[in-house]
């Protein structure tokens, strides 16, 4: 819910003023009681956590059987991390609690900081932005945005900042250079889903937020360069007749068909896991 004077702030559960870290109320903290963690959702059951892990396990298994792992382990890590962050944000939308937006803010901070540290350490350039290539600069910029947006979500409960996660990452995946037509299609599709999330967040449509982020996570994970190299083909490199010439390699799966197969997998996994989740009911609550 929102107030007329602060349309982009998520209100505290008691209907009062926004309850971020700037809240001075003696009885509330991050929109809940002082002793309550924003992560301590009563609906966050042990079974639900196992079902969430099933998505990652299936994805990793498919990477192994398709030959993506261990050959493309760096690309795997670069995509499984952001996809996991999007998935956690999606689950927080599906199972909201008293401090959902605060939990999402901490998730954005943790995800951005982890990826930023990984990128800076792996490439050995440290904080020198000019030392990094343009692709790495994209990574550094978007994860810096995640950290700062996450801080604003924690401090001010800003729904616009939450939507900016979708807007910023959507622009990133839409414009990030890709090796072939399949990669371009998959990333633009993921960017579209992130735009839907941003609109849903501003309109208080948690159902749209959950589903759009869920599909964005799947599309982004299966758009990693390992899958693109295995199934998406490659353009010719070098000049014909020269020693360094590499002929074009056609895609083994049509780009549109690949994207629809990934959507089919995402739909099947979502139907299966959420059906099992409903069957478990309350389950075993982990404090």
């Amino acid at each position: 819910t929102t107030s007329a004077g602060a349309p982009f702030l998520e209100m505290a559960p008691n209907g009062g003023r926004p309850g971020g870290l700037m809240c001075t109320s003696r009885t509330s903290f991050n929109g809940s009681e002082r002793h309550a963690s924003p992560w301590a959702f009563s609906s966050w059951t042990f079974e639900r956590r196992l079902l969430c892990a099933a998505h990652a396990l299936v994805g990793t298994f498919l990477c192994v059987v398709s030959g993506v792992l261990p050959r493309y382990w760096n690309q795997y890590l670069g995509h499984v991390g952001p996809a996991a962050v999007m998935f956690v944000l999606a689950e927080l939308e599906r199972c909201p609690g008293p401090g959902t937006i605060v939990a999402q803010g901490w998730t954005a901070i943790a995800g951005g900081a982890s990826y930023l540290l990984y990128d800076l350490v792996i490439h050995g350039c440290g904080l020198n932005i000019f030392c990094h290539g343009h692709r790495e600069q994209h990574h550094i910029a978007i994860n810096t945005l995640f950290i700062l947006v996450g801080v604003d979500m924690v401090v001010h409960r800003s729904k616009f900042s939450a939507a900016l996660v979708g807007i910023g990452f959507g622009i990133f995946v839409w414009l990030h250079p890709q090796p072939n037509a399949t990669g371009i299609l998959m990333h633009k599709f993921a960017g579209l889903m992130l735009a839907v999330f941003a609109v849903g967040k501003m309109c208080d449509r948690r159902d749209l937020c959950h589903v759009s982020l869920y599909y964005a996570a799947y599309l982004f994970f299966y758009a990693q360069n390992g899958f693109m190299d295995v199934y998406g083909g490659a353009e010719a490199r070098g000049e014909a007749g020269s020693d360094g010439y590499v002929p074009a390699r056609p895609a083994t799966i049509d780009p549109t068909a690949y994207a629809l197969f990934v959507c089919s997998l995402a739909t099947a996994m979502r139907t299966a896991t959420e059906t099992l989740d409903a069957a478990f009911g309350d389950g075993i609550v982990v404090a």
Side-chain angles (χ1 to χ4, degrees), residues 86-144:
M86 285 188 281
F87 188 87
V88 170
L89 294 176
E91 284 297 295
L92 289 170
E93 293 289 349
R94 185 168 76 93
C95 308
T100 294
I101 197 166
V102 178
Q104 288 177 325
W106 284 115
T107 301
I109 293 170
S114 300
Y115 199 105
L116 196 60
L117 179 64
Y118 167 79
D119 220 38
L120 294 176
V121 170
I122 289 295
H123 292 282
C125 288
L127 299 177
N128 183 4
I129 188 68
F130 302 105
C131 172
H132 296 272
H134 287 181
R135 290 177 64 90
E136 284 70 39
Q137 289 177 7
H138 284 189
H139 298 156
I140 293 169
I142 189 60
N143 286 287
T144 300

Side-chain angles (χ1 to χ4, degrees), residues 170 173 185-195 212 215-216 219-220:
V173 298
L185 175 61
M186 291 291 290
H187 280 76
K188 289 189 182 302
F189 201 170
L192 178 62
M193 290 294 103
L194 287 162
S212 58
Y215 279 96
L219 290 163
F220 185 76

Side-chain angles (χ1 to χ4, degrees), residues 26-189:
R26 183 179 298 273
T27 60
S28 68
F29 183 72
N30 287 343
S32 186
E33 298 302 317
R34 278 188 179 273
H35 65 271
S37 164
W39 295 98
F41 301 139
S42 61
S43 61
W44 204 249
T45 62
F46 176 70
E47 289 86 352
R48 182 163 291 156
R49 297 182 189 191
L50 289 180
L51 291 172
C52 290
H55 294 274
L57 292 175
V58 170
T60 302
F61 172 76
L62 292 176
C63 284
V64 173
V65 298
S66 63
V68 171
L69 288 178
R71 181 180 177 186
Y72 298 95
W73 68 270
N74 190 43
Q75 289 293 328
Y76 168 81
L77 292 177
H79 278 249
V80 72
V85 169
M86 285 188 281
F87 188 87
V88 170
L89 294 176
E91 284 297 295
L92 289 170
E93 293 289 349
R94 185 168 76 93
C95 308
T100 294
I101 197 166
V102 178
Q104 288 177 325
W106 284 115
T107 301
I109 293 170
S114 300
Y115 199 105
L116 196 60
L117 179 64
Y118 167 79
D119 220 38
L120 294 176
V121 170
I122 289 295
H123 292 282
C125 288
L127 299 177
N128 183 4
I129 188 68
F130 302 105
C131 172
H132 296 272
H134 287 181
R135 290 177 64 90
E136 284 70 39
Q137 289 177 7
H138 284 189
H139 298 156
I140 293 169
I142 189 60
N143 286 287
T144 300
L145 177 64
F146 281 168
I147 294 171
L148 297 177
V149 163
V151 170
D152 194 53
M153 291 166 68
V154 171
V155 173
H156 293 129
R157 282 180 166 263
S158 171
K159 284 203 303 180
F160 181 78
S161 288
L164 194 56
V165 172
I167 297 170
F169 197 55
I171 292 174
F172 168 79
V173 298
W174 188 279
L175 299 177
H176 202 49
Q178 300 305 321
N180 51 42
T182 305
I184 293 172
L185 175 61
M186 291 291 290
H187 280 76
K188 289 189 182 302
F189 201 170

Side-chain angles (χ1 to χ4, degrees), residues 210-227:
H210 156 57
V211 176
S212 58
L213 273 180
Y214 174 83
Y215 279 96
Y218 259 79
L219 290 163
F220 185 76
F221 177 79
Y222 288 97
Q224 58 183 281
N225 280 10
F227 283 115

